[in-house]
Amino acid sequence: MKRYRFEDLPDIIGELLLKMNSIEKLLLENKVNNVVADDDLLTISEAAKLLKLSVATIYTKVCRNEIPANKQGKRLYFYRGELLNWIKSGRIKTITEIQLETETKFNSKNIYK
């Protein structure tokens, strides 16, 4: 590791600030790109590829209203963000989470605290 002198500190801090600003700019651009990506409109084949399901399975889930979809004429469209949220909503809780939730509900209803 390079040894720095006290006199070098202003230059080093300036370099660090420039690097932090460029990192912040990249993160903000990435955040904007992710928001746009969530609003991407997908066809049924693209949705099937994203979800790793067959097109027939997607049609079945749409008919049963199990999956968020948009129909325009005879075509089905899907928003990437809605599909990802649909996947997240099916998360199975761990035993620890269920126990903690039960204890919290029990303690909040317990009138003999």
Side-chain angles (χ1 to χ4, degrees), residues 50-88:
L50 174 70
L51 298 174
K52 295 181 175 67
L53 298 171
S54 70
V55 172
T57 303
I58 299 289
Y59 275 119
T60 302
K61 290 189 176 296
V62 169
C63 287
R64 294 179 182 168
N65 292 324
E66 295 176 0
I67 190 170
N70 300 285
K71 188 171 183 179
Q72 188 64 35
K74 293 184 177 184
R75 296 191 181 261
L76 288 173
Y77 297 100
F78 304 86
Y79 285 105
R80 180 183 305 274
E82 287 181 353
L83 292 177
L84 295 176
N85 287 335
W86 174 72
I87 292 170
K88 290 175 187 175

Side-chain angles (χ1 to χ4, degrees), residues 16-52:
L16 285 173
L17 285 174
L18 287 173
K19 288 181 180 181
M20 284 179 48
N21 286 337
S22 64
I23 290 170
E24 183 179 28
K25 183 180 175 184
L26 286 172
L27 288 172
L28 289 173
E29 287 173 2
N30 189 27
K31 186 176 182 180
V32 168
N33 289 340
N34 283 343
V35 169
V36 172
D38 282 350
D39 289 340
D40 282 351
L41 201 58
L42 305 176
T43 63
I44 192 159
S45 58
E46 292 168 333
K49 187 175 181 180
L50 174 70
L51 298 174
K52 295 181 175 67

